[in-house]
Amino acid sequence: MVKAVKGVVVECDPSVKQIILGLNERGQFIIEDLDDTHVFVDASCIEQLRVDIDEILNENTYNVEEPK
């Protein structure tokens, strides 16, 4: 019997994919790891995944402050 799963293919660079794989350890939302730049994830988790990735990327971004 064939089982269909509703999901979303996420295309990203390899560094963001590593972040997604790390987040998957606590949430288990990856259905299939396709290749170096594509991951098939559960459709119900896509919005939370976007928020988590944005948060991690913002934490790791260097901002230059103007001198006062």
Side-chain angles (χ1 to χ4, degrees):
M1 176 183 264
V2 177
K3 181 179 177 185
V5 179
K6 187 174 182 180
V8 176
V9 175
V10 176
E11 180 180 14
C12 57
D13 59 53
S15 60
V16 174
K17 183 177 176 195
Q18 290 303 311
I19 295 170
I20 293 171
L21 293 174
L23 290 171
N24 187 60
E25 291 177 3
R26 69 175 188 202
Q28 300 297 322
F29 52 84
I30 291 180
I31 298 168
E32 188 72 35
D33 186 354
L34 302 173
D35 61 25
D36 290 342
T37 58
H38 296 88
V39 181
F40 188 59
V41 300
D42 185 350
S44 65
C45 298
I46 197 71
E47 287 303 319
Q48 185 60 43
L49 180 60
R50 285 182 183 169
V51 170
D52 291 344
I53 291 172
D54 284 342
E55 183 179 301
I56 291 170
L57 291 176
N58 286 336
E59 288 174 1
N60 294 318
T61 301
Y62 179 73
N63 294 323
V64 177
E65 293 185 19
E66 296 290 324
K68 294 182 181 181

